[in-house]
Amino acid sequence: MSQSALIMMLLALSLTWGGAAFCIGIAIRRKQRDEADD
C-alpha cells in the first residue's frame, strides 16, 4: 500500500470517527440541557 493511500485512509477514518464523536457530544449536551429544564 502506498503512503498517500495510507494517509488518505487515516484521514477518512479520523473524519468519520470525529463526526460521530461530534454528534454524540451534541446529543449528550442536549439531553443534559433538557433534563435541567425540568
Side-chain angles (χ1 to χ4, degrees):
M1 192 180 281
S2 62
Q3 200 173 354
S4 56
L6 233 138
I7 290 167
M8 279 176 69
M9 205 174 71
L10 280 171
L11 203 83
L13 261 175
S14 57
L15 261 175
T16 354
W17 283 107
F22 184 70
C23 289
I24 290 168
I26 286 174
I28 289 171
R29 227 172 291 145
R30 192 166 290 165
K31 193 179 172 209
Q32 286 175 342
R33 204 175 59 205
D34 287 348
E35 284 172 1
D37 285 344
D38 290 338

